[in-house]
Amino acid sequence: LITRTILPVVSQPDLDGGGSTFGLGDTTFTGWFSPADSGGFVWGVGPVLLLPTATDDRLGADQWGGGASVVALVMSGPWVAGGLVNNVWGFGGDSDQADLNQLLLQPFVNYNLDGGWYLVSAPIITANWEASSDDRWTVPLGGGAGRVLRIGKQPVNINTQVYYNVEKPDWVGDWSWRLQIQLLFPK
């Protein structure tokens, strides 16, 4: 079982440009069941769950969600490449909330350097199937760098990436910046 929990801390600019909203977004938990010894090709399938933990309605869907997820990757020398895909459907939210039906595609490629450093591109491509066709897709291009290190005894992965949205809904900004801090719990 491979698990991934994402608890985003978000700063979202207001649509009118007059400020921003800062807080927690919705938590996403994914559990992939994978063969224990798959060699250089790792894959897994399993559920994805969306928990409504956003501290402001503008930072989350305000409803529970669930769906299926698939991940696959290959490792060859300093290269790691693969992708994950999931689709989340909403349930149990306020009847005033918009229906949730969202696809997430995340291709990724890492080139590992000495000393735990690496170069990375891992854009998060989304499709909101409930939106009009003009506002359905967000497609970013870009990348960044990171490092795996220890803070005390705890392994940590820290990276930063910048993306330009080549396709996006009208209300989404042209650029995004991602700073990730991941606590690692290797077996």
Side-chain angles (χ1 to χ4, degrees), residues 81-100:
L84 69 90
V85 60
N86 70 45
N87 202 95
V88 174
W89 293 270
F91 60 88
D94 186 344
S95 61
D96 293 339
Q97 282 298 109
D99 289 339
L100 177 63

Side-chain angles (χ1 to χ4, degrees), residues 4 30-33 44-48 67-71 84-87 104:
R4 179 172 90 159
T30 309
W32 294 286
F33 296 96
V45 297
V48 58
S69 184
V70 176
V71 66
L84 69 90
V85 60
N86 70 45
N87 202 95
L104 180 144

Side-chain angles (χ1 to χ4, degrees), residues 99-170:
D99 289 339
L100 177 63
N101 181 358
Q102 186 160 328
L103 173 75
L104 180 144
L105 300 166
Q106 187 175 24
F108 54 85
V109 61
N110 280 41
Y111 183 79
N112 295 308
L113 304 166
D114 293 335
W117 290 94
Y118 60 90
L119 302 175
V120 61
S121 181
I124 298 172
I125 301 166
T126 59
N128 177 356
W129 301 119
E130 298 296 327
S132 68
S133 60
D134 290 345
D135 288 334
R136 182 164 295 152
W137 288 93
T138 302
V139 180
L141 290 178
R147 185 170 184 216
V148 177
L149 55 103
R150 287 189 182 273
I151 299 177
K153 293 185 178 185
Q154 177 66 55
V156 179
N157 178 13
I158 300 173
N159 74 60
T160 186
Q161 301 172 54
V162 175
Y163 291 93
Y164 177 75
N165 292 318
V166 296
E167 177 70 29
K168 65 181 183 61
D170 291 336

